[in-house]
Amino acid sequence: MPEKKPVNHIRLTSHPDSDSQATRLVWGEAEPLRRGPVVATLTETAHRNVIGTHAGSYAIYRALAVAAGSLPQDHRADLTNTSPAEQIGPFPSWKDPERIVSMDPWGAVAPQVFRAYVDQGVDIRPTIAITRAHMNMPELRDAITAGRLIPDGHHLTANGDVKVTKAAVEPVWHLPGIAKRFGLTESALRRGLFEHTGGMFPELITRPDLHVFLPPIGGLTIYFFGKMETISDPNVPLAVRVHDECNGSDVFGSDICTCRPYLAHGVEECVRTAQAGGAGVIVYSRKEGRALGEVTKFLVYNARKRQEGGDSAATYFHRTECVAGVQDMRFQELMPDALHWMGITRIHRFVSMSDMKYNAITRSGIEIVERVPIPDGLVPADAQVEMEAKKAAGYYTPGKVANTQELQQVKGRDLDA
């Protein structure tokens, strides 16, 4: 186990007196035992080497459970038989400190690769879990009926069942890397996160020795179709859909947008590619309402529908800015990290026409061969306003890859869910 080095920092708030016991963590180190584990548990605070704790937005529920006496404060997870159902990596991107900055690439196998730490009493929890499952969507059965998909009894059954592997990922932010992605200094990032969360995490500005932050935000889920081992092979066809959460459409079938239809279309493309000997990936990020939140989204819906002349493409974005002050806060700069975690270097069919997503992925070093738009027949009637607004603003141009000049013109704007 690596030697633990004492740390020096300005103490502006109360911290444990045994800070020198903090577990060593060197982001981007190739050898896991030299890199060190992410220790965000509270059972032994002296071992902690990050700001925040596990479970993302669910950390508050854990705190409530402890406060209410429902959960023992010193509970240690029994991780017997919880190891990943499929092995992913390691890949060269895991040892690049700038390639993956918003998740821990070793998060799925942390209890295993950092066993030496566990044996010395360090309470290590996974930040990624990988399991196998079946998926069934009505749209897949519709695709079978229409003849777009043919059941093969393996990838896809006659009743629409699809075999998948899925991974749940908690956010783990390496602050120096996050700051560089957004063109900030680390101190400016820390101060912004501290001030604009009402001082929620004083350690952001009082613990310069801690460079990793587990923010209380939603994570993401990744669905894999086909042979897992081919996903990182640039010569084997790969279909990818990166999708940002839209609860109203994805779950409850709201027809004001194209979110669920595009998601279902992405799944269909992944199944078809897997059947042809390739693989498919759906990355589903918890960024409801363009990361503005569902309350803000519904307020904007009201504003759009009640304005004089009714809902229109011309005022689609203006109403969002009136309520939220910004059109979009999803920040696709961090999105490619999940793709790099999977070792992806080439996407043959990218099921999205979002210029921001395309730009973020290709700038991160991943090649996109073809962009796949949603078929016109899958666009709900009430979503036409959204589609026309996208086209009018230049964010959605079917069959066309935006060049650098066009991307500059629409910088900071993205309307594809």
Side-chain angles (χ1 to χ4, degrees):
M1 189 155 119
E3 177 185 358
K4 296 166 189 165
K5 299 181 180 179
V7 295
N8 297 310
H9 60 269
I10 301 171
R11 190 182 299 278
L12 300 180
T13 187
S14 59
H15 300 299
D17 293 331
S18 53
D19 291 335
S20 61
Q21 297 181 37
T23 309
R24 185 173 183 267
L25 175 58
V26 182
W27 197 265
E29 176 64 53
E31 179 60 38
L33 287 180
R34 292 181 61 85
R35 202 294 298 259
V38 168
V39 184
T41 48
L42 300 169
T43 47
E44 178 52 72
T45 56
H47 293 162
R48 287 168 49 80
N49 57 13
V50 305
I51 302 164
T53 188
H54 289 290
S57 57
Y58 294 97
I60 302 301
Y61 288 106
R62 182 187 184 279
L64 180 59
V66 172
S70 302
L71 175 65
Q73 185 172 349
D74 59 352
H75 171 72
R76 285 193 178 225
D78 180 354
L79 299 174
T80 304
N81 293 329
T82 63
S83 58
E86 292 279 359
Q87 180 67 38
I88 295 178
F91 297 107
S93 53
W94 290 25
K95 61 184 179 181
D96 185 338
E98 296 181 4
R99 188 71 67 186
I100 301 176
V101 301
S102 62
M103 59 186 289
D104 178 11
W106 297 99
V109 291
Q112 291 79 40
V113 297
F114 300 118
R115 184 71 197 182
Y117 289 85
V118 175
D119 290 343
Q120 294 193 26
V122 180
D123 187 2
I124 296 173
R125 308 282 175 88
T127 56
I128 302 173
I130 305 172
T131 189
R132 296 190 185 96
H134 286 81
M135 172 188 291
N136 193 306
M137 300 175 69
E139 290 87 348
L140 294 178
R141 296 194 294 272
D142 293 342
I144 292 173
T145 301
R148 297 195 306 272
L149 287 177
I150 307 298
D152 57 18
H154 175 60
H155 297 290
L156 176 67
T157 65
N159 71 346
D161 275 354
V162 179
K163 291 182 180 179
V164 297
T165 297
K166 58 184 181 180
V169 182
E170 291 180 5
V172 179
W173 286 9
H174 182 236
L175 293 172
I178 296 283
K180 188 168 184 177
R181 287 275 178 96
F182 287 91
L184 302 170
T185 64
E186 184 181 345
S187 60
L189 173 65
R190 287 174 177 262
R191 171 107 12 216
L193 292 172
F194 169 73
E195 291 181 347
H196 298 289
T197 58
M200 187 183 295
F201 291 93
E203 292 82 4
L204 284 167
I205 57 172
T206 63
R207 293 293 303 271
D209 58 303
L210 301 181
H211 295 283
V212 174
F213 174 43
L214 274 60
I217 60 175
L220 54 89
T221 309
I222 305 173
Y223 287 83
F224 304 92
F225 304 77
K227 297 179 180 179
M228 295 281 293
E229 63 271 20
T230 70
I231 289 173
S232 60
D233 188 339
N235 298 313
V236 177
L238 176 66
V240 173
R241 165 71 182 166
V242 178
H243 189 91
D244 293 319
E245 179 182 35
C246 178
N247 185 59
S249 178
D250 297 342
V251 178
F252 294 102
S254 169
D255 61 357
I256 198 173
C257 63
T258 59
C259 295
R260 182 178 173 99
Y262 222 144
L263 176 60
H265 179 51
V267 171
E268 183 178 330
E269 289 288 340
C270 287
V271 171
R272 187 179 296 108
T273 305
Q275 288 180 318
V281 170
I282 300 289
V283 180
Y284 191 90
S285 301
R286 295 326 190 276
K287 297 178 182 177
E288 178 65 56
R290 300 188 209 138
L292 301 172
E294 201 165 42
V295 169
T296 295
K297 181 164 74 170
F298 287 8
L299 293 175
V300 172
Y301 284 169
N302 285 345
R304 284 170 50 193
K305 294 172 182 177
R306 292 172 179 170
Q307 65 189 345
E308 185 176 353
D311 197 9
S312 70
T315 58
Y316 184 92
F317 308 119
H318 175 67
R319 296 311 301 154
T320 302
E321 288 185 320
C322 287
V323 176
V326 65
Q327 292 180 5
D328 194 325
M329 293 197 305
R330 284 176 293 176
F331 299 125
Q332 302 296 354
E333 287 88 342
L334 303 179
M335 173 266 292
D337 286 20
L339 305 178
H340 289 294
W341 174 65
M342 293 177 264
I344 293 173
T345 57
R346 175 183 291 165
I347 298 171
H348 298 81
R349 290 177 65 76
F350 182 53
V351 192
S352 172
M353 292 307 295
S354 163
D355 291 341
M356 276 187 70
K357 291 178 183 178
Y358 172 86
N359 194 35
I361 292 171
T362 55
R363 282 186 175 177
S364 77
I366 297 173
E367 177 189 0
I368 293 178
V369 178
E370 180 185 3
R371 298 168 73 177
V372 182
I374 185 171
D376 291 339
L378 298 182
V379 179
D382 284 352
Q384 291 299 330
V385 169
E386 176 199 43
M387 296 298 289
E388 291 306 314
K390 290 178 180 181
K391 294 174 183 177
Y395 307 129
Y396 183 97
T397 312
K400 178 174 178 289
V401 176
N403 60 38
T404 303
Q405 182 178 0
E406 290 166 337
L407 290 169
Q408 288 292 330
Q409 292 172 351
V410 298
K411 186 178 181 182
R413 301 180 178 184
D414 180 28
L415 306 182
D416 182 17

